[in-house]
Amino acid sequence: MSTTLDSPRVQRTLDRLFQDADSGDPGIIARVRGDLERRGPSPDPERLAHLLADAYLPVSREVGRLLHLLAFATRARTVVEFGTSFGISTVFLAAAVRDAGGGGRVIGSEMHPEKVRRARHNLEESGLGELVEIREGDALVTLRDVEGPIDLVLLDGWKNLYLPVLQMLEPRLRRGALIVADDLDIAPDDLRPYLEYVRGAGSGYGSVEIPLGDRLEVSCWHGRDGREGGA
Ligand SMILES: C[S@@+](CC[C@H](N)C(=O)[O-])C[C@H]1O[C@@H](n2cnc3c(N)ncnc32)[C@H](O)[C@@H]1O
């Protein structure tokens, strides 16, 4: 049986977005690296978002398929995404929510206004727009009031915020919720506190690294100290 990912509309949208990313991102990333080397390596988050305004920085196709698989297998109804960019990962997640058939939704977050506009357009083009709400602004603010229980979280924004974003959402995680943290290879120093947290004894998470794309960490919330989150 085919899935929403096989539909011509979704495939056309993903093909176009991945092609744009493949042709544009390498030049933009090289330019931004040069800029950071000249001006110092630690720009504030808004400035980094501005410098990377035209860069997709997407999950790989394989990671996208894994996201679809995880969200579908767990029949995810509330999916939260930190870092939507132009919406590539969001298409995979929304396709899974449609395939799961439980009336679920994806809540994305993106701080760059033009990216939000284009992500919404891309989601409409794929035919999945009605399943997605993209919240504009800093995810630490915009995702604060997401209603639980949350079934799946994708962490793909700036790497130093993975831990605070997860801790903010934790009280609303369903027991058994999955957390997918992308890009372990991209900023290992920034991600260390996050990985120590989810891998730590007594953390409440089971966690495993997956060597796909830029490497990712998939964690499952078991609950802690009698606390099970929002379920
Ligand atoms: C790696 S890209 C996301 C790629 C996207 N998940 C995909 O697969 O197409 C990271 C995005 O997170 C956004 N971002 C970073 N920090 C953020 C924050 N605090 N709140 C909202 N968006 C943020 C950036 O503007 C950037 O577009």
Side-chain angles (χ1 to χ4, degrees):
M1 200 173 142
S2 62
T3 74
T4 298
L5 284 184
D6 303 312
S7 88
R9 209 168 156 185
V10 169
Q11 281 193 5
R12 258 198 318 273
T13 304
L14 285 175
D15 284 348
R16 177 179 67 76
L17 296 176
F18 275 117
Q19 268 164 26
D20 286 354
D22 288 345
S23 62
D25 275 16
I28 298 169
I29 291 166
R31 209 173 52 237
V32 170
R33 281 221 176 95
D35 191 271
L36 295 181
E37 272 158 28
R38 274 193 308 281
R39 294 166 189 239
S42 303
D44 62 63
E46 285 80 13
R47 180 163 157 65
L48 192 57
H50 175 73
L51 288 171
L52 290 167
D54 293 321
Y56 283 71
L57 313 167
V59 296
S60 67
R61 280 186 185 269
E62 292 72 24
V63 170
R65 285 203 296 272
L66 178 70
L67 290 171
H68 178 273
L69 184 155
L70 294 174
F72 176 66
T74 55
R75 299 292 191 273
R77 295 191 72 240
T78 299
V79 175
V80 177
E81 175 179 69
F82 167 46
T84 293
S85 193
F86 292 95
I88 289 184
S89 47
T90 330
V91 170
F92 284 99
L93 291 166
V97 163
R98 169 158 297 163
D99 291 333
R105 72 218 162 111
V106 181
I107 299 171
S109 61
E110 174 53 56
M111 65 169 24
H112 197 282
E114 179 60 12
K115 281 189 167 179
V116 173
R117 195 188 63 73
R118 288 180 56 189
R120 285 182 183 139
H121 169 85
N122 295 333
L123 264 306
E124 286 304 324
E125 187 186 285
S126 73
L128 296 167
E130 67 188 13
L131 301 172
V132 179
E133 176 197 347
I134 301 172
R135 298 189 177 181
E136 181 179 325
D138 183 351
L140 278 171
V141 176
T142 63
L143 298 181
R144 209 158 38 193
D145 64 350
V146 171
E147 226 176 276
I150 298 168
D151 301 298
L152 189 145
V153 179
L154 170 64
L155 298 172
D156 199 23
W158 299 158
K159 310 308 157 198
N160 59 333
L161 296 183
Y162 280 21
L163 183 54
V165 170
L166 176 64
Q167 287 174 326
M168 178 180 75
L169 298 175
E170 196 171 86
R172 282 157 288 150
L173 294 179
R174 173 175 67 76
R175 188 156 186 243
L178 294 174
I179 324 299
V180 180
D182 196 24
D183 292 337
L184 305 195
D185 283 339
I186 303 279
D189 289 342
D190 284 344
L191 281 176
R192 192 164 300 122
Y194 174 82
L195 293 175
E196 284 174 4
Y197 183 76
V198 291
R199 292 174 183 174
S203 67
Y205 293 91
S207 203
V208 66
E209 184 182 310
I210 305 212
L212 211 60
D214 292 316
R215 277 197 307 132
L216 37 113
E217 185 84 2
V218 177
S219 312
C220 179
W221 171 243
H222 297 155
R224 187 172 58 230
D225 299 335
R227 227 184 65 219
E228 294 187 357

